[in-house]
Amino acid sequence: MGQGGFITLVNGTPYDWQRSHRHSYQMASWDDSFPAAVKAGTSARVYVEFSQGIFSNSSDDGGEVAYRLDGTPHGFEIQARSSGGFFLQAAFTQIAPLGHPQGSTVRLGWEHNGSVHFVLSGTTGAFTATHPPTAWMQANFGTLGTRKLRHLCMPGSHDAGMSTLTSGTAMGTRANVITQTQSIGGQLQAGSRYFDIRPVISAGQYVTGHYSRIEKFGIVTWQGGNGQSIDSIVSEINAFTAVNKELIILRLSHDLNTDVGNYGYRSFTQAEWGDLMRKLVAITDRVSLEDAPADLTVLPLNRFIGAKAGVIIVVEYGDNTEKFGLLDGKEFFTASQFPRFDDYANKDDVNAMVRDQLGKLALNRPNPDSPFFVLSWTLSQGDFAAVASGFCQ
């Protein structure tokens, strides 16, 4: 018996991966685990186990499995290593994805009883693998630049400002409020480009918030907490775009003024939105279009970035009323100008969430020209779990 876990191989290329070699020493599970082929556009989950025992030196454990990309001269290896701790890595033996010279390796990590991942996508001359360059849009601009926004697949962040809990209600705790482990700047570095920002007024300041409206026995209260300030988000975006000419999409929604009393939280007034927008105009590379179309997602990426970065700010008013005639549609875009399907599962079970989201994806995005789709890969606490976490601080 030894440490076991999984690796998921994701073949995002148009080429089948054919296993060409395998070898291991003192591995409890390796040689017979990896499939003979991973078809183009599919994935394979593989169980791996290192050996641990009184008669074996676990630091000697190791394994290699090689795959070649059918019909090409390219190939790579997945390797198990145990010197200095257990880990898996990818070796780019006959391939050079963006940011990874041929012959280099990239650590995939190790999760005991968990899973790590290896992703390879693209075509000959334009491969991208796990841990791509930070500025991944620019690195792939030759391929992505002419594609419509609705044709791009980009990582996004739900309740993006909630990597910290700065203040909140009595029942708002880290267990039921925090949604991210990294600040906006950290999420940008990790590759996220679509951000769900929920602005809140708290103690007269503009911050992000994560709140729920709770109605029991005819009484309405709000519970939740505050995260990053809007000022810090603006600063982190500007620091990122100063060196990375990427497209960033901010979608502002769920606005709440929490200074009006817990029983009466409300959406922003026109004046309050105006104060927030005066903060957001400090975003250096804010996209401004005099001739913006009715649907921004039909425009190509190169309309927004190229020689410089671009930040699209989409505003969805909490009370569904339009408040800005002059700025809307030029520098601050309305929700109708960036239409998308966005409906989270509201489930606390992984399998139920997966079925819900993949079903909605198949139904609402049957082809690349379908509207922009937000795949909400998130679990939601049930009422009991959320309340219980409020007591267990």
Side-chain angles (χ1 to χ4, degrees):
M1 296 294 292
Q3 283 219 21
F6 292 88
I7 177 172
T8 301
L9 306 175
V10 181
N11 183 355
T13 75
Y15 318 109
D16 292 347
W17 297 352
Q18 303 290 345
R19 192 184 64 213
S20 57
H21 171 74
R22 56 184 173 176
H23 167 265
S24 68
Y25 177 76
Q26 214 167 251
M27 295 289 291
S29 179
W30 185 266
D31 285 0
D32 295 328
S33 297
F34 286 87
V38 181
K39 295 292 186 181
T42 69
S43 63
R45 193 166 188 247
V46 179
Y47 180 71
V48 172
E49 186 175 319
F50 292 87
S51 291
Q52 289 177 294
I54 58 175
F55 299 111
S56 64
N57 182 354
S58 59
S59 65
D60 291 336
D61 294 358
E64 301 84 32
V65 59
Y67 283 95
R68 58 177 178 80
L69 278 61
D70 204 15
T72 80
H74 306 300
F76 64 89
E77 285 188 2
I78 301 298
Q79 302 173 344
R81 297 294 183 258
S82 56
S83 178
F86 300 117
F87 63 92
L88 301 179
Q89 65 182 22
F92 300 115
T93 52
Q94 296 169 295
I95 196 169
L98 285 168
H100 302 292
Q102 185 168 325
S104 64
T105 61
V106 59
R107 282 207 182 196
L108 307 175
W110 176 251
E111 293 288 340
H112 179 41
N113 292 330
S115 184
V116 298
H117 312 276
F118 173 70
V119 180
L120 180 66
S121 61
T123 58
T124 297
F127 287 111
T128 301
T130 299
H131 302 317
T134 299
W136 60 266
M137 287 179 171
Q138 285 291 341
N140 292 279
F141 202 65
T143 300
L144 302 181
T146 58
R147 297 193 180 183
K148 300 175 183 178
L149 295 191
R150 62 172 55 186
H151 290 174
L152 302 180
C153 180
M154 65 184 76
S157 302
H158 166 74
D159 261 308
M162 298 306 302
S163 61
T164 184
L165 176 59
T166 56
S167 61
T169 64
M171 301 296 290
T173 70
R174 290 186 59 86
N176 58 26
V177 169
I178 296 296
T179 58
Q180 303 292 335
T181 60
Q182 298 284 334
S183 69
I184 297 296
Q187 293 167 50
L188 283 166
Q189 290 290 335
S192 189
R193 297 292 180 265
Y194 180 97
F195 295 92
D196 166 30
I197 302 292
R198 305 188 177 195
V200 165
I201 296 174
S202 178
Q205 302 298 310
Y206 283 90
V207 297
T208 53
H210 185 189
Y211 287 88
S212 296
R213 182 181 184 273
I214 300 174
E215 183 173 358
K216 295 292 184 183
F217 309 112
I219 299 174
V220 175
T221 64
W222 291 82
Q223 297 295 330
N226 303 322
Q228 267 192 275
S229 69
I230 296 299
D231 287 339
S232 70
I233 290 174
V234 170
S235 178
E236 290 183 0
I237 289 174
N238 286 341
F240 181 82
T241 57
V243 293
N244 298 285
K245 298 178 177 62
E246 298 283 279
L247 174 67
I248 300 168
I249 301 167
L250 305 181
R251 192 177 189 98
L252 280 66
S253 65
H254 297 75
D255 48 299
L256 279 179
N257 186 325
T258 68
D259 285 348
V260 294
N262 188 269
Y263 299 99
Y265 288 5
R266 59 162 173 77
S267 298
F268 292 174
T269 65
Q270 180 170 342
E272 290 163 352
W273 270 111
D275 289 340
L276 174 58
M277 295 212 179
R278 277 184 279 277
K279 288 182 174 293
L280 295 174
V281 295
I283 293 177
T284 306
D285 292 296
R286 191 177 68 262
V287 167
S288 178
L289 297 176
E290 289 294 328
D291 57 344
D295 184 350
L296 296 179
T297 70
V298 302
L299 294 180
L301 180 63
N302 60 20
R303 181 71 183 274
F304 302 100
I305 64 172
K308 66 173 188 174
V311 181
I312 297 174
I313 304 175
V314 180
V315 177
E316 185 174 345
Y317 304 112
D319 58 5
N320 296 317
T321 61
E322 301 294 340
K323 295 184 171 67
F324 285 93
L326 294 177
L327 293 179
D328 279 344
K330 296 180 181 179
E331 296 181 346
F332 295 90
F333 302 96
T334 63
S336 63
Q337 288 178 283
F338 203 103
R340 92 283 190 227
F341 182 90
D342 185 358
D343 187 25
Y344 71 109
N346 197 23
K347 306 288 185 182
D348 61 2
D349 176 77
V350 171
N351 292 327
M353 179 271 290
V354 170
R355 288 193 298 271
D356 176 271
Q357 288 297 291
L358 293 184
K360 289 172 180 173
L361 176 63
L363 182 64
N364 293 280
R365 191 167 170 78
N367 60 71
D369 284 316
S370 300
F372 197 88
F373 185 93
V374 177
L375 187 70
S376 295
W377 218 244
T378 57
L379 294 176
S380 302
Q381 286 181 328
D383 290 343
F384 177 80
V387 171
S389 65
F391 286 111
C392 302
Q393 298 187 42

